[in-house]
């Protein structure tokens, strides 16, 4: 992983998270594994399949997008989440990000189509 040219590195040359959401996805994955939602072998197989899916970045620059896609797939297969619900929530976060002024925190409440009160 550290040899992937598309991944950001610290001054010391260690891989780092490119954005806070990537660290959150990592932590969520570890937490769900520790809670017994899936085995680490299942996780590694699912992530590997996603990373090697045709059309993925050869340089690893989309590694954390692969991570989230693999986690979503695994949660659906384990019956923890519904694929449609994940897609709806993802679209809501995207709209919220687009509607949030630069420098402000992105919150789901910023989704212009939000029905949350």
């Amino acid at each position: 992983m550290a040899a992937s040219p598309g991944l950001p590195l610290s001054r010391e040359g260690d891989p780092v998270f490119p954005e806070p959401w990537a660290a959150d996805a990592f932590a969520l994955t570890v937490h769900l594994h520790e809670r017994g939602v899936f085995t680490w072998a299942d996780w590694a197989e699912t992530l590997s399949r996603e990373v090697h899916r045709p059309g993925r970045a050869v340089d690893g620059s989309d590694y954390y997008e692969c991570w989230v896609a693999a986690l979503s797939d695994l949660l659906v297969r384990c019956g923890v989440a519904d694929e449609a619900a994940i897609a709806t929530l993802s679209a809501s976060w995207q709209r919220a990000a687009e509607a949030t002024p630069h420098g402000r925190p992105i919150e789901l409440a910023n989704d212009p189509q939000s029905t949350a009160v």
Side-chain angles (χ1 to χ4, degrees):
M1 184 172 112
S4 298
L7 291 177
L9 302 175
S10 69
R11 286 185 213 129
E12 296 78 27
D14 298 320
V16 295
F17 295 108
E19 301 286 339
W21 65 263
D24 290 342
F26 179 89
L28 180 60
T29 302
V30 172
H31 175 76
L32 291 169
H33 162 68
E34 289 173 347
R35 299 284 306 230
V37 174
F38 49 80
T39 68
W40 204 251
D42 287 339
W43 166 250
E45 180 182 321
T46 304
L47 178 59
S48 178
R49 187 171 46 251
E50 191 61 43
V51 167
H52 294 99
R53 185 179 304 279
R56 287 298 190 182
V58 176
D59 68 357
S61 59
D62 64 349
Y63 181 76
Y64 290 104
E65 285 85 357
C66 293
W67 188 287
V68 171
L71 181 58
S72 297
D73 178 58
L74 195 53
L75 292 177
V76 169
R77 285 193 287 124
C78 290
V80 174
D82 175 83
E83 191 171 348
I86 291 173
T88 298
L89 188 57
S90 178
S92 184
W93 274 112
Q94 183 63 41
R95 288 189 302 269
E98 292 168 359
T100 300
H102 180 72
R104 303 293 307 245
I106 300 170
E107 300 173 355
L108 278 178
N110 295 347
D111 176 1
Q113 295 180 25
S114 176
T115 57
V117 179

